[in-house]
Amino acid sequence: MRSVEAEGSMVLEEPPCPSGTALLCLSGVCAGYGNVEVLREVDLEVPPASVVSLLGANGAGKTTLLRVASGLLKPTRGIVSLFGTDVTAHKPYQRANVGLCHIPEGRGIFPALSVRENLELSVPLRTRAVDLERALAAFPILAGRMRQVAGSMSGGEQQMLALARAYLCDPRIVLLDEVSMGLAPIVVDQIFESIRHLADLGISLLIVEQYLSRALELSNYVYLIDHGRITFAGRPESLDEGSILHSYLGVDSGGQDKGAGDGKEP
């Protein structure tokens, strides 16, 4: 067992997988912007064929952690390992080439291009012959939008297009950053159905999500982050929604961040 004293005297349970078997591993990672440190000695692991949720209040460091994991932000200290290899110095495209897919907050599509062009750009060059049916099966509405300019679609349709990349780039692990933010409830249902399907395919997922109850339902393992520090790591069933979620996430036991989406963390 591993334990760490943190603010609020939280205890970290056993790591989710034996040493050396994690697909993604952050060890002692610190990172920030200019002189502002956002992540402080973060340890996190994503095992094979698992769903891991990273939960925290706005500004806690969730998006920053995903950026470090995908190579968009270089850590000031610590090591990022992917599939057992130290990739701390690797560029984002190098991490993508070996199976990491990052779906960022804010859609992450090319709005001036057509839906078809966006989908085709999601297919790696090494597998360019692969057709688009897998993505269109997951999001059938896109089949009727292939010639449409992506930026002219609704927010929900644009998010489906962004998520379609996870079906086309042959990933081993997908990082999902607030993919349900700002969407209508019926679209949120479709988004979570597609996320569950990715998990059923054996693809590992690291999820940052505002709908806590939905994230916990999907997850095999959960990390809570507060002011850049991991304050809890364990199984979802170990969380007490009435006390832990309120103390660390500033939420009601009903499951959604108070004011979620009102601010954008670094």
Side-chain angles (χ1 to χ4, degrees), residues 11-190:
V11 177
L12 305 186
E13 299 180 347
E14 288 185 42
C17 52
S19 178
T21 65
L23 297 190
L24 173 67
C25 181
L26 277 65
S27 302
V29 165
C30 299
Y33 305 91
N35 295 324
V36 179
E37 188 175 57
V38 177
L39 299 181
R40 302 172 175 88
E41 301 292 339
V42 167
D43 294 329
L44 180 143
E45 295 178 350
V46 179
S50 66
V51 179
V52 176
S53 284
L54 176 66
L55 306 177
N58 289 339
K62 306 183 298 297
T63 291
T64 297
L65 189 151
L66 295 190
R67 288 173 177 166
V68 169
S70 65
L72 294 174
L73 180 66
K74 186 176 180 179
T76 54
R77 291 196 303 278
I79 296 173
V80 180
S81 298
L82 194 59
F83 315 126
T85 300
D86 183 349
V87 296
T88 310
H90 289 194
K91 302 293 185 182
Y93 76 87
Q94 294 174 302
R95 303 184 196 196
N97 284 343
V98 295
L100 184 144
C101 174
H102 183 185
I103 309 295
E105 182 183 1
R107 311 291 183 251
I109 63 171
F110 297 98
L113 300 182
S114 71
V115 169
R116 175 178 291 278
E117 289 167 333
N118 270 272
L119 292 174
E120 289 176 344
L121 286 173
S122 297
V123 181
L125 289 173
R126 65 184 183 277
T127 57
R128 186 59 80 185
V130 175
D131 62 35
L132 307 179
E133 290 306 314
R134 189 163 29 172
L136 297 179
F139 302 107
I141 194 170
L142 297 180
R145 302 278 197 274
M146 297 296 276
R147 296 183 179 180
Q148 186 171 342
V149 174
S152 69
M153 297 195 300
S154 70
E157 291 166 346
Q158 290 183 39
Q159 190 62 76
M160 292 177 191
L161 178 58
L163 269 172
R165 182 155 53 91
Y167 286 87
L168 296 173
C169 68
D170 195 24
R172 295 173 63 187
I173 180 170
V174 179
L175 315 181
L176 299 164
D177 193 357
E178 300 279 17
V179 293
S180 69
M181 181 176 289
L183 302 181
I186 190 171
V187 179
V188 172
D189 290 341
Q190 293 175 287

Side-chain angles (χ1 to χ4, degrees), residues 203-220:
I203 298 170
S204 288
L205 308 175
L206 176 57
I207 299 175
V208 168
E209 180 51 53
Q210 63 175 328
Y211 289 100
L212 304 181
S213 59
R214 287 178 179 264
L216 293 173
E217 181 183 346
L218 279 173
S219 298
N220 307 110

Side-chain angles (χ1 to χ4, degrees), residues 55-57 210-214 216 239-260:
L55 306 177
Q210 63 175 328
Y211 289 100
L212 304 181
S213 59
R214 287 178 179 264
L216 293 173
L239 285 170
D240 178 273
E241 291 190 4
S243 57
I244 298 176
L245 294 185
H246 179 79
S247 298
Y248 284 84
L249 306 181
V251 298
D252 301 314
S253 59
Q256 186 172 355
D257 291 36
K258 295 178 181 177

